[in-house]
Amino acid sequence: MVHAPSTGAETRAAAPGGSAPVTGRRERKKQATRVALRQAALRLAIQHGVENVTVEQIAEEADIALRTFFNYFSSKEEAVLASAAAAAEGLIAEFRARPRTESVLHAFREAVLIIMNQSYAASRDHIEALRLIRKAPSLVPQQMAMIATQEKALAEAIAERVGLHTDPHRAGKEGPVYPMVCAAALLAALRVVLDQWLELAATPGQVPSADALGQRCDAAITELAAGLDRPGLTDT
């Protein structure tokens, strides 16, 4: 997978899927159950298609009682996308952990590379979830909800990094706008980068090179840093 600079933050992302470290026997058991369900959901969706998989099949595949499934996920779509959601949570955590001396764009780039450099199993599940999203229309509503949650969390982290408040009653007129616009732009750019990167795979299931991902991240960051407003075409 992608090789990124090692940091102390990688230890914090060592839990399955890039989530926060889990302590306590009960919490570890709950985390293991959640991972088993999301892996079973993703595995079945890849094999049979999201539309052809039921919640009952996911629970049986994970060897977990059906009623237990609904303690963790509200639908099969949420379970299928749980690997991508966990990676998104890990991305925000890594972004927050980056040195405050780094700019917003640089910190985001480094966080992306660290998340994509997780354990093979976590990275593989994340990438398979991304591939599935691209070809399963039924996942779009759940994906949009996930993106909205991720944008809000990233905007709050950006506001903290640059010393702005997200509360419109405490901030100046420009205060709430920058973090939200920046978060939306960064996550949109990341989706474009990942789509282009996955297109490079020569065969289904292949993971493109780490260098290719880094290059596309750098290209997107450069465009954002330069500004998106460009002159319109003129008649000749």
Side-chain angles (χ1 to χ4, degrees):
M1 294 306 298
V2 176
H3 296 287
S6 177
T7 71
E10 289 180 76
T11 302
R12 289 185 292 277
S19 54
V22 179
T23 59
R25 178 181 297 179
R26 186 166 181 271
E27 289 303 314
R28 287 197 300 271
K29 184 176 180 180
K30 288 172 63 177
Q31 180 70 16
T33 300
R34 186 177 185 86
V35 171
L37 283 169
R38 81 185 189 205
Q39 289 179 338
L42 182 59
R43 186 163 56 247
L44 289 172
I46 292 171
Q47 291 173 353
H48 307 295
V50 178
E51 293 77 8
N52 301 317
V53 174
T54 66
V55 169
E56 289 81 2
Q57 290 172 327
I58 294 171
E60 182 178 356
E61 177 79 5
D63 195 22
I64 291 169
L66 177 60
R67 65 180 180 276
T68 302
F69 175 94
F70 291 103
N71 291 335
Y72 293 87
F73 301 109
S74 62
S75 65
K76 67 179 181 180
E77 289 82 8
E78 183 182 2
V80 168
L81 289 187
S83 294
E89 292 173 5
L91 175 61
I92 305 301
E94 292 296 345
F95 177 82
R96 288 183 182 277
R98 298 303 304 171
R100 290 303 179 94
T101 53
E102 293 181 353
S103 70
V104 169
L105 299 184
H106 181 72
F108 185 79
R109 175 195 185 276
E110 294 303 311
V112 168
L113 295 182
I114 289 173
I115 287 299
M116 298 304 291
N117 190 42
Q118 286 176 352
S119 69
Y120 174 75
S123 296
R124 180 197 61 204
D125 287 352
H126 180 202
I127 290 169
E128 290 303 327
L130 293 176
R131 285 191 167 118
L132 199 58
I133 288 170
R134 300 168 73 201
K135 60 182 181 181
S138 63
L139 292 177
V140 171
Q142 185 64 40
Q143 181 193 17
M144 296 306 295
M146 184 179 69
I147 290 171
T149 299
Q150 188 182 13
E151 281 186 3
K152 183 176 184 296
L154 181 57
E156 291 172 353
I158 290 171
E160 291 174 8
R161 179 170 291 269
V162 300
L164 292 173
H165 294 296
T166 54
D167 183 349
H169 299 293
R170 298 178 60 190
K173 287 188 296 183
E174 78 287 354
V177 175
Y178 170 78
M180 291 185 289
V181 169
C182 188
L186 282 170
L187 293 178
L190 178 59
R191 290 193 292 276
V192 170
V193 164
L194 290 176
D195 277 349
Q196 291 182 344
W197 182 60
L198 290 175
E199 287 287 350
L200 297 175
T203 59
Q206 183 189 41
V207 177
S209 74
D211 288 344
L213 177 59
Q215 289 168 3
R216 276 160 178 74
C217 279
D218 288 341
I221 293 297
T222 297
E223 291 288 357
L224 291 177
L228 299 180
D229 193 23
R230 297 184 179 180
L233 296 176
T234 58
D235 293 334
T236 56

